[in-house]
Amino acid sequence: MKLNIAVLPGDGIGPEVTKQAIKALQAIALEFDHSFSFTHAPVGAIAIDETGNPLPEKTLDVCEATDAILFGAIGDPKYDNNPDAKIRPEQGLLRLRKSLGLFANIRPVKAYDTLIEKSPLKKNIIQGTDISIYRELTGGIYFGEKFLSEDGDTASDLCLYTKKEIERIAHLAFKAAQTRKNKVTLVDKANVLESSRLWRKVVTEIAKDYPEVALDFLFVDNAAMQMILNPNQFDVILTENMFGDIISDEASVIGGSIGLLASASVGDKYAMFEPIHGSYPQATGKGIANPIASILSAAMLLDHFDLTEEATVIRKAVEKSLLLNITTPDLNTEHTVSTSKVGDFIADYISNPNDSNLNFSNIHLGQSTII
Ligand code: IPM
Ligand code: MN
């Protein structure tokens, strides 16, 4: 298959983790005889520095002209501590999601057996966790009308949803549940918010089209508690934009590191793949950022084009790196391996999964991955 992929590395650790995902994709292209080309474009703080715009017109053009987008991370502390900044790196990501109509953000959360001891949560609670979060991505409080009074003393953000916006992501969530454990949990705050009551009404109606899928409801405060109390009760979680943002960071604790969580953002026409972690500015350039979330986002990209076998090969290579503890400091305090060495290992393993060739003790010494 021929794929043109837009690469938007963004800020902080974005460029270094995205580089590792590209290595994995290049290894796949070679092994499976595909042709993947990569077109880089700036977004976020780096784009503001270069052009004054967090999403330059040219970057959007590149995204619209390619088959899929691989996104790194966004954000820079020089904007975080300045509430008066009118131009912010995050606007680049939000405009990208809105302009490309990426209304569904899919975030898988899994407890890997090999990492079960790494999570701060108890093994018996997290073992077997396998959740798919469907977060609405182009509506709600993120995109509703914003208001700041002249005197700067009053502000508001409107949370607005239409029936259509709810329906289109709800269908995707129910379809996903059909291929999994046939359960959808709608997370909302219907005891307080009118918009959440609309979600309940619309989703209850859609559930009738999927009689084999069980639908239940949880208020978001309770869901936040249930997520770490009994994550095994969840299959597909369907929720609005901001609740999904918060719940998915919380869910990352189950896997042992936020550096493991990948995501796909899809719409009717375009698709973008990105780790759920942020730009982690303190780690920039130190080679300590975990590239696995980005590499697993590349696997989701392959899934999107029905390259299922290829995606499985990437996931197997990731699992092998976890099993052999070829991991960055978030997962491994004794023999840490750098971001790019983890990427090298995974790419090498894709090309040569034959265990007997691996000399992983050398990897911990920072030497070659394969002898
Ligand atoms: C995410 C991020 C973004 C969001 C930020 C960077 C705007 O936290 O993708 O989860 O809030 O959606
Ligand atoms: Mn987030």
Side-chain angles (χ1 to χ4, degrees), residues 74 90 93-94 97 107 135 137 142 241 245 274 276:
I74 215 159
E90 289 77 8
L93 179 57
L94 299 178
R97 289 172 178 170
R107 300 186 158 183
R135 168 190 175 193
L137 203 59
Y142 273 59
N241 204 342
D245 180 45
E274 56 174 310
I276 85 150

Side-chain angles (χ1 to χ4, degrees), residues 11 43-49 51-56 71 73-96 142 146 148 157:
D11 304 322
V43 71
I46 192 156
I48 300 177
D49 292 344
T51 68
N53 181 351
L55 179 63
F71 190 92
I74 215 159
D76 189 297
K78 71 181 174 207
Y79 299 94
D80 292 347
N81 304 326
N82 175 10
D84 291 330
K86 288 270 174 290
I87 301 175
R88 314 183 68 84
E90 289 77 8
Q91 290 162 346
L93 179 57
L94 299 178
R95 277 183 208 154
L96 197 57
Y142 273 59
K146 300 193 180 301
L148 180 64
D157 298 271

Side-chain angles (χ1 to χ4, degrees), residues 26-39:
Q26 280 166 334
I28 289 287
L30 214 62
E31 282 311 298
F32 289 84
D33 215 8
H34 297 306
S35 161
F36 298 159
S37 67
F38 301 92
T39 312

Side-chain angles (χ1 to χ4, degrees), residues 292 317-327 342 345-346:
I292 289 181
V318 165
E319 276 166 28
K320 195 70 179 183
S321 79
L322 297 175
L323 185 71
L324 298 179
N325 212 11
I326 297 166
T327 49
V342 172
F345 171 81
I346 289 171

Side-chain angles (χ1 to χ4, degrees), residues 72-354:
I74 215 159
D76 189 297
K78 71 181 174 207
Y79 299 94
D80 292 347
N81 304 326
N82 175 10
D84 291 330
K86 288 270 174 290
I87 301 175
R88 314 183 68 84
E90 289 77 8
Q91 290 162 346
L93 179 57
L94 299 178
R95 277 183 208 154
L96 197 57
R97 289 172 178 170
K98 193 74 173 176
S99 314
L100 300 176
L102 306 173
F103 63 82
N105 182 224
I106 302 143
R107 300 186 158 183
V109 177
K110 232 180 108 172
Y112 289 94
D113 281 339
T114 44
L115 293 180
I116 213 91
E117 309 290 348
K118 301 269 161 76
S119 170
L121 301 174
K122 290 199 177 85
K123 180 177 167 181
N124 63 327
I125 289 189
I126 58 173
Q127 202 152 38
T129 300
D130 183 357
I131 305 173
S132 193
I133 299 175
Y134 275 65
R135 168 190 175 193
E136 202 290 328
L137 203 59
T138 52
I141 198 165
Y142 273 59
F143 292 96
E145 195 185 327
K146 300 193 180 301
F147 168 77
L148 180 64
S149 65
E150 294 264 314
D151 62 7
D153 287 351
T154 308
S156 70
D157 298 271
L158 181 69
C159 181
L160 184 139
Y161 269 109
T162 64
K163 186 176 171 204
K164 260 208 175 112
E165 284 174 322
I166 300 167
E167 278 173 347
R168 58 187 182 180
I169 185 164
H171 280 296
L172 293 186
F174 279 98
K175 287 198 175 104
Q178 283 177 321
T179 68
R180 296 170 49 93
K181 288 182 252 160
N182 277 318
K183 184 175 173 188
V184 170
T185 302
L186 175 64
V187 169
D188 63 25
K189 188 72 185 171
N191 51 345
V192 177
L193 302 178
E194 201 58 54
S195 53
S196 284
R197 288 192 276 273
L198 181 65
W199 272 81
R200 279 210 185 193
K201 201 169 135 209
V202 173
V203 172
T204 303
E205 203 49 44
I206 283 176
K208 292 181 187 154
D209 295 345
Y210 304 88
E212 68 286 15
V213 179
L215 169 65
D216 70 354
F217 308 98
L218 273 185
F219 295 142
V220 63
D221 47 353
N222 187 13
M225 181 175 70
Q226 297 297 331
M227 181 62 80
I228 45 172
L229 209 54
N230 177 17
N232 271 290
Q233 70 186 286
F234 296 114
D235 179 22
V236 173
I237 290 179
L238 168 62
T239 191
E240 62 96 70
N241 204 342
M242 189 155 78
F243 297 158
D245 180 45
I246 297 168
I247 283 274
S248 56
D249 265 35
E250 188 194 10
S252 76
V253 179
I254 295 166
S257 168
I258 196 165
L260 296 171
L261 287 203
S263 85
S265 302
V266 301
D268 291 330
K269 200 161 169 212
Y270 301 103
M272 180 161 96
F273 302 85
E274 56 174 310
I276 85 150
H277 62 67
S279 59
Y280 192 12
Q282 311 86 312
T284 308
K286 293 191 180 148
I288 57 171
N290 191 341
I292 289 181
S294 186
I295 293 171
L296 290 176
S297 299
M300 292 185 87
L301 184 154
L302 296 173
D303 271 332
H304 181 76
F305 293 99
D306 289 325
L307 300 176
T308 315
E309 196 188 335
E310 290 84 336
T312 305
V313 167
I314 292 196
R315 292 194 179 103
K316 285 222 168 99
V318 165
E319 276 166 28
K320 195 70 179 183
S321 79
L322 297 175
L323 185 71
L324 298 179
N325 212 11
I326 297 166
T327 49
T328 43
D330 50 321
L331 293 172
N332 168 4
T333 44
E334 278 187 13
H335 300 288
T336 63
V337 178
S338 72
T339 308
S340 81
K341 282 278 185 297
V342 172
D344 285 345
F345 171 81
I346 289 171
D348 283 348
Y349 191 82
I350 290 169
S351 308
N352 190 354
N354 186 347

